[in-house]
Amino acid sequence: MSVERFWGVGIFDPKLGGDPVLFQHLFWFYSHPAVYIMILPGMGVISELITCFSRKPIYGYAWVGSASMAIAVLGFLVWGHHMFVSSQSVYAGMVFSILSFLVAVPSGVKVFNWTATLRKGSIHFGTPMIYALGFIGLFTIGGLTGLFLAALAVDVHVHDTYFVIAHFHYIMVGGMVMAFMGGLHYWWPKISGRLYPEFAGKLAAMITFIGFNLTFFPQFVLGYLGQPRRYHVYPPEFQIYHVLSTAGASILGVGYLMPLIYFIWAWKHGRVAGPNPWRATGLEWQTPSPPPEHNFQQTPVVTGPPYSYSAEKDVDVDLASI
């Protein structure tokens, strides 16, 4: 943009021989991979939570790691699915459609492996685990609705409608924010050295899950019925869906406010956590809570694999009492 503005190079300005659609390509070439940049750390958090609270090593560890790499690589190749209704060629649209379906495969691998990790595990429904399970459900809905947007014929119908808004939020809020909240509750004892009230944490997680679905699921219906995004005026028959979304947003706000309140309270008044209240295997849990300035007095020696849990060995660990 600066090169074009100051030196008159015709890249985007049609008066100079440029093409405005190139700016759309530039924007989405950056902006779509940015979504994966944000969600991949959340996926790593979910792997930590699922293994700890099911007391099992993650199923298919190598596949989960490879899926992360595949998502990172393919994420740079699918930007054109935002431009199916632009002037790009039908053939380019077909290629981007196939690639968009392809990027769903490693995401599906992760969901399958997380679910398989739960099988025959000694599952403890602590607050971080509830957020993790909520992540899996909401991210799965977001991923499946992304397949609709990857299909050329369907995308023409729902492009720039509330369907896109709902899909995006199921990935970024239902996915990344749920993972962030789960990770925050998981590492809070390590950060502060204190425990938050577990009942309040579970209640906030459930309120967040219910409020989120009430906010954004009606928007799938709105988008399918044809309401465009960024319009403040809509037909009267759409009113009920907007009312549901508004009510859900209010409930969602309560779910986000509650952790702020009990985290502040727990910082001073919560029970002392101890170095490893979750019986987790990560190196950070081998230090006091909160960790000292230099973490370890001596360089730790890693002798076992990551996520070295055993459901049979840890079946007597009562995480619910924390």
Side-chain angles (χ1 to χ4, degrees):
M1 294 291 290
S2 298
V3 171
E4 181 170 84
R5 176 168 297 179
F6 293 112
W7 286 285
V9 178
I11 301 175
F12 309 118
D13 189 347
K15 296 178 181 178
L16 302 174
D19 185 354
V21 177
L22 288 177
F23 180 78
Q24 194 173 355
H25 277 285
L26 176 65
F27 175 83
W28 285 120
F29 181 74
Y30 154 76
S31 295
H32 193 84
V35 174
Y36 296 108
I37 291 171
M38 287 184 276
I39 198 65
L40 281 172
M43 291 176 168
V45 169
I46 296 304
S47 293
E48 292 282 334
L49 304 185
I50 292 294
T51 54
C52 178
F53 287 88
S54 62
R55 315 311 294 175
K56 280 184 61 183
I58 193 165
Y59 180 84
Y61 176 81
W63 283 94
V64 173
S66 299
S68 296
M69 296 300 298
I71 291 172
V73 172
L74 291 172
F76 279 94
L77 304 177
V78 298
W79 77 92
H81 67 216
H82 293 276
M83 303 176 61
F84 286 157
V85 298
S86 72
S87 59
Q88 73 177 5
S89 70
V90 175
Y91 301 104
M94 292 171 61
V95 170
F96 283 121
S97 177
I98 294 171
L99 289 170
S100 298
F101 279 107
L102 188 61
V103 78
V105 173
S107 299
V109 167
K110 283 182 171 290
V111 171
F112 171 81
N113 284 32
W114 290 326
T115 307
T117 302
L118 298 172
R119 183 175 180 269
K120 295 186 177 180
S122 179
I123 299 175
H124 302 270
F125 293 100
T127 302
M129 184 61 155
I130 295 177
Y131 277 109
L133 295 176
F135 170 97
I136 293 176
L138 299 179
F139 179 78
T140 299
I141 294 175
L144 290 175
T145 53
L147 299 179
F148 289 89
L149 297 173
L152 287 162
V154 179
D155 184 81
V156 170
H157 173 61
V158 298
H159 182 81
D160 260 353
T161 68
Y162 268 77
F163 192 97
V164 178
I165 293 177
H167 158 72
F168 176 81
H169 283 84
Y170 264 85
I171 295 293
M172 293 310 301
V173 179
M176 185 56 226
V177 175
M178 290 291 280
F180 170 77
M181 294 299 291
L184 186 59
H185 284 79
Y186 179 63
W187 279 292
W188 180 260
K190 178 58 59 179
I191 295 170
S192 67
R194 300 279 182 168
L195 295 171
Y196 51 83
E198 187 67 16
F199 176 78
K202 293 178 180 179
L203 182 62
M206 294 304 299
I207 290 175
T208 298
F209 183 82
I210 294 170
F212 176 86
N213 281 286
L214 187 58
T215 301
F216 293 106
F217 196 85
Q219 296 181 13
F220 282 125
V221 181
L222 277 173
Y224 180 77
L225 293 177
Q227 180 173 343
R229 60 197 298 192
R230 309 186 185 98
Y231 279 60
H232 72 284
V233 177
Y234 46 83
E237 58 266 27
F238 291 168
Q239 177 73 9
I240 181 61
Y241 302 107
H242 286 275
V243 170
L244 290 173
S245 285
T246 301
S250 302
I251 296 172
L252 187 60
V254 173
Y256 286 151
L257 182 62
M258 286 180 64
L260 176 63
I261 295 173
Y262 61 69
F263 278 151
I264 293 174
W265 177 87
W267 193 277
K268 293 293 185 182
H269 306 289
R271 288 192 294 127
V272 176
N276 190 2
W278 309 124
R279 313 296 196 272
T281 61
L283 283 177
E284 73 272 24
W285 298 105
Q286 313 311 314
T287 65
S289 299
E293 182 177 354
H294 297 290
N295 292 338
F296 299 98
Q297 296 296 326
Q298 297 177 339
T299 302
V301 178
V302 178
T303 59
Y307 312 121
S308 55
Y309 295 100
S310 172
E312 293 78 12
K313 178 181 177 182
D314 295 329
V315 72
D316 61 334
V317 176
D318 185 13
L319 296 182
S321 66
I322 295 176

